[in-house]
Amino acid sequence: MVKTTEKLWFVAQLRPQGLTRARAHLHRQGFEIFSPELLTVITKSGVQRQSRKPLFPGYVFINFDPANPGWSAINSTRGIARLILNDPRRPQPLPAGLIAGLKARCDPSGILAPAIDLEVGDRIRVLAGPLADLVTTIDTLPAPDRIGVLIDMLGRKVKTSLPRGHVEKIC
Protein backbone atom coordinates (compact mmCIF):
# COMPACT_ATOMS: atom_id res chain seq x y z
CA MET A 1 0.00 0.00 0.00
CA VAL A 2 1.41 3.38 -1.05
CA LYS A 3 1.01 6.19 1.49
CA THR A 4 0.14 9.57 0.07
CA THR A 5 1.54 12.78 1.51
CA GLU A 6 -0.52 15.18 -0.57
CA LYS A 7 -3.62 16.88 0.73
CA LEU A 8 -6.83 15.85 -1.00
CA TRP A 9 -10.40 17.17 -0.91
CA PHE A 10 -13.20 15.37 0.91
CA VAL A 11 -16.83 16.21 1.65
CA ALA A 12 -18.50 16.45 5.06
CA GLN A 13 -22.17 16.70 5.91
CA LEU A 14 -23.13 19.62 8.15
CA ARG A 15 -25.49 19.71 11.08
CA PRO A 16 -28.52 21.99 10.60
CA GLN A 17 -27.34 25.64 10.55
CA GLY A 18 -23.80 24.36 11.18
CA LEU A 19 -21.81 26.03 8.40
CA THR A 20 -20.58 29.05 10.38
CA ARG A 21 -19.68 26.96 13.41
CA ALA A 22 -17.96 24.29 11.28
CA ARG A 23 -15.90 26.93 9.43
CA ALA A 24 -14.63 28.43 12.66
CA HIS A 25 -13.78 25.12 14.34
CA LEU A 26 -12.20 23.48 11.29
CA HIS A 27 -10.10 26.58 10.65
CA ARG A 28 -8.95 26.55 14.28
CA GLN A 29 -7.94 22.87 13.88
CA GLY A 30 -5.84 23.76 10.80
CA PHE A 31 -8.08 22.32 8.07
CA GLU A 32 -8.61 24.18 4.81
CA ILE A 33 -12.29 24.31 3.86
CA PHE A 34 -14.23 25.38 0.78
CA SER A 35 -17.93 26.14 0.60
CA PRO A 36 -18.89 27.86 -2.68
CA GLU A 37 -21.88 30.20 -2.57
CA LEU A 38 -24.29 31.85 -5.00
CA LEU A 39 -25.58 35.40 -4.84
CA THR A 40 -29.36 35.48 -4.95
CA VAL A 41 -31.87 38.30 -4.71
CA ILE A 42 -34.54 37.96 -2.04
CA THR A 43 -37.67 40.13 -2.05
CA LYS A 44 -39.23 40.62 1.35
CA SER A 45 -41.98 43.17 1.98
CA GLY A 46 -41.29 44.69 -1.43
CA VAL A 47 -37.61 45.30 -0.67
CA GLN A 48 -34.99 43.44 -2.68
CA ARG A 49 -31.67 42.51 -1.13
CA GLN A 50 -28.82 40.26 -2.10
CA SER A 51 -28.19 37.14 -0.09
CA ARG A 52 -25.49 34.47 -0.16
CA LYS A 53 -26.73 30.89 -0.45
CA PRO A 54 -24.54 27.76 -0.38
CA LEU A 55 -24.10 26.03 -3.73
CA PHE A 56 -24.23 22.68 -1.89
CA PRO A 57 -26.49 23.28 1.13
CA GLY A 58 -25.67 21.01 4.04
CA TYR A 59 -22.16 20.11 2.85
CA VAL A 60 -18.63 21.52 3.05
CA PHE A 61 -15.41 20.49 1.31
CA ILE A 62 -12.37 19.84 3.53
CA ASN A 63 -8.73 19.56 2.44
CA PHE A 64 -6.50 17.22 4.43
CA ASP A 65 -3.91 14.47 4.16
CA PRO A 66 -5.58 11.07 4.76
CA ALA A 67 -2.20 9.58 5.77
CA ASN A 68 -2.20 11.89 8.79
CA PRO A 69 -4.26 10.25 11.57
CA GLY A 70 -5.63 13.65 12.72
CA TRP A 71 -8.36 13.63 10.08
CA SER A 72 -10.66 11.57 12.31
CA ALA A 73 -11.19 14.66 14.50
CA ILE A 74 -13.43 16.07 11.73
CA ASN A 75 -16.31 13.80 12.78
CA SER A 76 -16.35 15.31 16.27
CA THR A 77 -16.04 18.93 15.13
CA ARG A 78 -18.88 21.26 16.10
CA GLY A 79 -21.15 21.92 13.13
CA ILE A 80 -20.12 18.71 11.32
CA ALA A 81 -22.51 15.75 11.30
CA ARG A 82 -20.09 13.33 9.61
CA LEU A 83 -17.38 12.99 7.04
CA ILE A 84 -18.77 11.19 3.98
CA LEU A 85 -16.84 7.90 3.81
CA ASN A 86 -17.10 4.69 1.80
CA ASP A 87 -14.68 2.95 4.14
CA PRO A 88 -14.52 4.14 7.78
CA ARG A 89 -10.78 3.36 7.97
CA ARG A 90 -9.76 5.23 4.82
CA PRO A 91 -11.62 8.21 3.34
CA GLN A 92 -12.15 8.32 -0.43
CA PRO A 93 -11.12 11.68 -1.98
CA LEU A 94 -13.18 13.65 -4.47
CA PRO A 95 -12.06 13.63 -8.13
CA ALA A 96 -8.92 15.74 -8.56
CA GLY A 97 -10.36 18.40 -10.87
CA LEU A 98 -13.69 18.96 -9.10
CA ILE A 99 -12.59 21.48 -6.47
CA ALA A 100 -10.04 23.07 -8.81
CA GLY A 101 -12.80 23.68 -11.35
CA LEU A 102 -15.15 25.12 -8.72
CA LYS A 103 -12.43 27.38 -7.31
CA ALA A 104 -11.60 28.63 -10.80
CA ARG A 105 -15.20 29.84 -11.19
CA CYS A 106 -15.31 31.51 -7.75
CA ASP A 107 -14.05 34.91 -6.68
CA PRO A 108 -11.71 35.20 -3.64
CA SER A 109 -14.66 35.33 -1.23
CA GLY A 110 -16.02 32.00 -2.54
CA ILE A 111 -18.95 33.36 -4.59
CA LEU A 112 -19.56 31.42 -7.79
CA ALA A 113 -19.35 33.67 -10.83
CA PRO A 114 -22.07 33.36 -13.45
CA ALA A 115 -21.22 31.60 -16.70
CA ILE A 116 -19.86 34.00 -19.29
CA ASP A 117 -20.88 31.98 -22.32
CA LEU A 118 -24.16 33.86 -22.98
CA GLU A 119 -24.80 35.28 -26.44
CA VAL A 120 -27.66 37.06 -28.20
CA GLY A 121 -30.24 34.47 -29.24
CA ASP A 122 -29.50 31.99 -26.43
CA ARG A 123 -32.48 30.50 -24.58
CA ILE A 124 -32.36 31.22 -20.84
CA ARG A 125 -34.36 30.55 -17.68
CA VAL A 126 -34.75 33.29 -15.09
CA LEU A 127 -33.72 31.96 -11.64
CA ALA A 128 -34.72 34.77 -9.27
CA GLY A 129 -36.92 37.80 -8.93
CA PRO A 130 -40.49 38.43 -10.07
CA LEU A 131 -39.84 36.68 -13.40
CA ALA A 132 -38.46 33.49 -11.82
CA ASP A 133 -38.88 30.33 -13.95
CA LEU A 134 -39.60 32.36 -17.10
CA VAL A 135 -37.98 30.90 -20.23
CA THR A 136 -37.07 33.45 -22.89
CA THR A 137 -34.37 34.44 -25.39
CA ILE A 138 -31.53 36.95 -24.98
CA ASP A 139 -32.20 40.06 -27.08
CA THR A 140 -29.20 42.24 -26.20
CA LEU A 141 -26.11 42.30 -23.96
CA PRO A 142 -26.13 45.96 -22.81
CA ALA A 143 -23.49 45.60 -20.07
CA PRO A 144 -21.13 42.91 -18.76
CA ASP A 145 -23.39 42.23 -15.77
CA ARG A 146 -26.79 42.67 -17.48
CA ILE A 147 -28.71 40.94 -20.27
CA GLY A 148 -31.62 42.31 -22.28
CA VAL A 149 -34.65 40.13 -22.98
CA LEU A 150 -38.02 40.42 -24.70
CA ILE A 151 -40.91 39.15 -22.60
CA ASP A 152 -44.36 38.37 -23.98
CA MET A 153 -46.85 40.02 -21.58
CA LEU A 154 -50.55 40.18 -22.44
CA GLY A 155 -49.85 39.74 -26.13
CA ARG A 156 -47.19 42.47 -26.29
CA LYS A 157 -43.42 42.23 -26.37
CA VAL A 158 -41.86 44.10 -23.44
CA LYS A 159 -38.12 44.84 -23.27
CA THR A 160 -36.36 44.53 -19.93
CA SER A 161 -32.91 43.79 -18.58
CA LEU A 162 -31.90 41.30 -15.92
CA PRO A 163 -28.75 40.73 -13.87
CA ARG A 164 -26.58 38.10 -15.54
CA GLY A 165 -26.36 36.13 -12.30
CA HIS A 166 -30.15 35.62 -12.22
CA VAL A 167 -30.32 33.51 -15.37
CA GLU A 168 -29.09 30.16 -16.57
CA LYS A 169 -28.55 29.03 -20.14
CA ILE A 170 -30.78 26.25 -21.42
CA CYS A 171 -28.98 23.87 -23.75
Side-chain angles (χ1 to χ4, degrees):
M1 180 170 130
V2 177
K3 290 214 175 201
T4 178
T5 58
E6 86 177 271
K7 290 187 173 184
L8 302 168
W9 286 97
F10 302 86
V11 65
Q13 185 177 15
L14 296 168
R15 292 193 182 280
Q17 307 299 318
L19 180 59
T20 305
R21 182 176 278 174
R23 277 183 181 157
H25 288 278
L26 288 169
H27 179 69
R28 192 178 69 226
Q29 293 174 31
F31 291 107
E32 179 185 356
I33 65 164
F34 179 58
S35 177
E37 297 176 317
L38 294 170
L39 274 182
T40 60
V41 175
I42 296 174
T43 304
K44 190 172 185 179
S45 301
V47 178
Q48 289 187 344
R49 67 177 180 88
Q50 282 193 341
S51 174
R52 294 171 72 138
K53 300 257 180 177
L55 183 61
F56 302 103
Y59 297 92
V60 66
F61 299 107
I62 305 172
N63 188 4
F64 63 88
D65 180 5
N68 181 354
W71 66 265
S72 60
I74 293 171
N75 282 330
S76 59
T77 300
R78 291 181 184 260
I80 299 290
R82 65 189 177 101
L83 191 62
I84 306 296
L85 302 172
N86 289 340
D87 179 1
R89 296 168 303 215
R90 195 178 68 224
Q92 191 68 25
L94 293 169
L98 177 68
I99 300 299
L102 280 171
K103 281 188 165 192
R105 288 211 36 217
C106 289
D107 66 10
S109 67
I111 296 176
L112 190 68
I116 57 172
D117 61 344
L118 297 177
E119 297 177 7
V120 173
D122 286 347
R123 301 236 340 127
I124 58 161
R125 174 180 292 117
V126 181
L127 300 173
L131 302 173
D133 296 326
L134 175 76
V135 176
T136 187
T137 305
I138 297 176
D139 184 49
T140 61
L141 295 170
D145 61 338
R146 307 283 299 174
I147 61 164
V149 295
L150 282 174
I151 300 170
D152 187 16
M153 293 182 121
L154 303 172
R156 296 183 63 193
K157 297 282 186 186
V158 178
K159 252 189 182 184
T160 189
S161 72
L162 301 166
R164 191 179 278 256
H166 290 195
V167 300
E168 72 177 352
K169 185 175 179 178
I170 300 174
C171 296

